[in-house]
Amino acid sequence: MAKRIVIVGGGAGGTITANLLARNLHHELTTGQVVINMITNTPDHVYQPGFLYIVFDKVRSEEIVRKQRDLLDSHINLFVDPATKIDREHNVVHTQSGKEYPYDFLVVATGSRIVPETIPGLAEGGHFFYTLESAKKLRDALKDFEGGKVVISVGVPHKCPVAPLEITFMLYDYFKHKDMLDKVELQYTYPINRLHALEPVANWALPQFEGKGIKYEVLFNMEEVDPVKKVLKSMEGVEMKYDLLITVPPHKGAPVIEDSGMGKNGWVATNKQTLNNESYTNVYICGDTTDIPISKAGSTAHFEADVIAERISSQIQEGSTSTRYDGKVVCFVETGFDEATYVWFNYKNPPKPTPPSKMLHWMKLGYNRLYWLSAKGVL
Amino acid sequence: MADVKIDKTVDARGAACPGPLMELIKAMKSEDVGTVVEILSSEKGTSVDAPAWLKKVGQELVSVEQKGDYWSIVAKKIK
């Protein structure tokens, strides 16, 4: 009987894992020894980092959306049928249509989603840029904005940890290009006691903020928004008036995780090296879905996908595996419209950001196009 | 400390991003009232920053303890 691999989730992590498995197991797939089934919620695949550029009219939505089927190796079966329950005791995934997908190996890559509704008033009073719809809404609000106080605030937990800094620097350049800096006050806030979680990035950002006149309030965690009076209150007791509120709302994992009893708030207990779900050696967790205290970012999912695909392939072909995830994360950081830096780090090596340059900005723009090769498991 | 039962431990040693303090904030926001959370950090700064934040938001610091080359911060969500 064929070994059945089921991948739940068609984002970066799930798609890269599936395509790498199809490449590693080409012989087994073509001879009927292995079957790969992917279960997703949507027929579309969205390059989420593109939302930031939608806000500033730098890309069109058509550029960041592709058909999931077109990205997958032809040997992978795709089922657009949301998973409703994952039963690890019986090795089966149940879907909305009532179908069951038994598995020998399971990859859970269900991602994360913004939950602005968990902070009173935020959904009504705040703008976001973590969905296509909200990014377009913010783009239009910025076009109409005639001046005033722009507050940037960040929920916990959140994915793409560099996005709050990126949008702040890009807002500065946006208003500079519109010759509006004298009419706009940029106020950045951040949950911990520096400008960014990565200390070297925070240290780099501080003089940038001071040089550009960007105000900042640290140890600021959103508690409540009054959308009528336009006031944002923090858990720490600070009240801040705003004219335009731009936030990264708190995140949760997919509902199917909690519905399956796999982890509170949608985060699944994951071994930081093997990426197995606790003692389930045939269940792997990829990307934002893990509870590993590491950046929730596309690159994290990508490097985890490399490890998971290698481990499953080896388990099938050799009966065992020794490949481990070392915590590798690589992130570009846009520092405005013209320059960028990048950081890479892992469990043992802290990040050391390089000075921003135009070349790194162009590399980031290039990667925005090359992403589709990453998704296909080529890059 | 000896009679406090830890409900959840987050091993944030070596975690550069989002880091130990963000993990503590995440836990205090998402866990149920009464939950006792332990954060393990290899950053000495957490042993100062975490208690300061807990005091600011009115949550309970149970203990701070150095254990060799890392620190254990235990906090209880009380509201």
Side-chain angles (χ1 to χ4, degrees):
Chain A
M1 189 177 174
K3 294 279 186 191
R4 297 155 303 186
I5 304 170
V6 170
I7 297 162
V8 184
T15 304
I16 294 170
T17 304
N19 282 322
L20 291 176
L21 281 167
R23 189 167 71 198
N24 291 352
L25 300 170
H26 179 77
H27 172 72
E28 289 81 356
L29 276 168
T30 54
T31 54
Q33 298 174 66
V34 165
V35 172
I36 302 176
N37 292 327
M38 172 176 277
I39 300 168
T40 69
N41 288 1
T42 163
D44 293 329
H45 185 110
V46 181
Y47 176 60
Q48 297 180 44
F51 297 149
L52 185 66
Y53 300 87
I54 293 278
V55 171
F56 298 106
D57 255 340
K58 297 289 185 186
V59 301
R60 297 282 175 265
S61 54
E62 294 77 17
E63 296 176 68
I64 61 169
V65 182
R66 296 274 173 95
K67 290 295 175 195
Q68 180 69 18
R69 180 67 266 175
D70 296 343
L71 296 174
L72 292 176
D73 184 287
S74 60
H75 295 94
I76 299 165
N77 303 312
L78 174 65
F79 301 95
V80 182
D81 184 8
T84 52
K85 190 177 179 191
I86 296 166
D87 182 348
R88 291 168 295 172
E89 301 310 315
H90 299 96
N91 293 330
V92 64
V93 177
H94 299 262
T95 60
Q96 198 172 67
S97 70
K99 290 184 180 156
E100 295 181 353
Y101 295 86
Y103 63 81
D104 296 290
F105 291 94
L106 174 69
V107 180
V108 182
T110 43
S112 61
R113 63 201 161 102
I114 58 169
V115 285
E117 63 274 16
T118 58
I119 294 177
L122 181 57
E124 300 79 22
H127 278 277
F128 326 116
F129 55 100
Y130 273 45
T131 64
L132 186 55
E133 183 188 11
S134 63
K136 285 182 174 179
K137 191 177 162 198
L138 174 56
R139 175 194 65 191
D140 295 342
L142 282 170
K143 281 177 185 167
D144 295 337
F145 190 62
E146 293 179 346
K149 185 171 182 177
V150 180
V151 172
I152 299 109
S153 202
V154 185
V156 179
H158 60 272
K159 65 183 160 192
C160 197
V162 295
L165 278 180
E166 288 184 302
I167 197 158
T168 303
F169 287 126
M170 291 172 84
L171 282 165
Y172 179 87
D173 276 3
Y174 177 84
F175 290 122
K176 184 180 174 185
H177 287 192
K178 288 183 82 173
D179 208 14
M180 286 178 66
L181 282 178
D182 58 332
K183 296 175 187 162
V184 175
E185 178 185 346
L186 283 176
Q187 170 76 60
Y188 176 88
T189 72
Y190 201 66
I192 65 169
N193 56 342
R194 54 182 182 242
L195 294 180
H196 191 262
L198 294 167
E199 191 167 6
V201 173
N203 292 341
W204 167 82
L206 185 58
Q208 300 292 322
F209 270 45
E210 289 173 344
K212 294 176 191 298
I214 301 170
K215 295 180 178 171
Y216 54 90
E217 172 91 21
V218 294
L219 284 175
F220 187 100
N221 287 278
M222 291 184 281
E223 183 168 66
E224 188 180 355
V225 177
D226 184 333
V228 178
K229 292 180 181 170
K230 293 194 169 182
V231 174
L232 171 63
K233 296 177 186 173
S234 77
M235 289 170 68
E236 291 79 7
V238 176
E239 292 196 3
M240 195 171 281
K241 285 190 71 66
Y242 67 84
D243 295 296
L244 184 66
L245 177 61
I246 300 174
T247 71
V248 176
H251 284 58
K252 283 188 178 182
V256 67
I257 302 299
E258 281 199 299
D259 293 346
S260 304
M262 291 179 70
K264 193 169 185 186
N265 292 314
W267 317 125
V268 183
T270 307
N271 183 293
K272 65 191 278 190
Q273 292 183 316
T274 67
L275 302 176
N276 280 126
N277 172 209
E278 298 173 319
S279 59
Y280 296 91
T281 56
N282 67 332
V283 178
Y284 287 94
I285 313 299
C286 186
D288 295 355
T289 316
T290 78
D291 74 340
I292 304 171
I294 193 173
S295 306
K296 293 190 183 300
S299 80
T300 311
H302 183 156
F303 296 122
E304 289 175 349
D306 288 345
V307 171
I308 291 169
E310 185 57 35
R311 285 181 66 85
I312 294 175
S313 303
S314 186
Q315 282 174 287
I316 289 174
Q317 293 172 326
E318 307 294 337
S320 65
T321 179
S322 60
T323 306
R324 297 281 190 277
Y325 177 55
D326 65 358
K328 185 179 179 185
V329 179
V330 179
C331 290
F332 284 101
V333 187
E334 291 281 22
T335 56
F337 280 172
D338 303 314
E339 292 190 336
T341 180
Y342 82 101
V343 289
W344 85 263
F345 51 97
N346 60 24
Y347 292 141
K348 291 186 177 171
N349 298 288
K352 295 175 188 167
T354 56
S357 69
K358 285 185 167 52
M359 181 66 78
L360 285 167
H361 170 65
W362 294 334
M363 284 177 70
K364 170 62 178 171
L365 294 186
Y367 184 76
N368 288 344
R369 309 282 174 145
L370 290 171
Y371 167 73
W372 305 109
L373 291 177
S374 285
K376 288 182 176 182
V378 175
L379 185 63
Chain B
M1 177 62 197
D3 57 350
V4 175
K5 179 180 169 290
I6 292 168
D7 299 303
K8 179 176 181 170
T9 295
V10 180
D11 185 354
R13 288 175 291 180
C17 183
L21 183 54
M22 200 87 86
E23 292 294 338
L24 176 65
I25 294 170
K26 174 185 167 188
M28 286 295 111
K29 286 171 72 84
S30 59
E31 295 298 331
D32 297 330
V33 172
T35 303
V36 177
V37 177
E38 178 185 38
I39 305 288
L40 305 182
S41 173
S42 46
E43 290 180 26
K44 186 182 179 184
T46 315
S47 66
V48 177
D49 299 338
W53 181 77
L54 288 165
K55 187 176 179 186
K56 204 166 186 177
V57 297
Q59 298 290 7
E60 183 180 326
L61 173 69
V62 176
S63 66
V64 178
E65 191 180 348
Q66 184 171 358
K67 296 182 173 180
D69 60 353
Y70 69 95
W71 284 262
S72 158
I73 296 97
V74 179
K76 183 176 183 181
K77 182 167 178 172
I78 56 172
K79 64 177 185 179

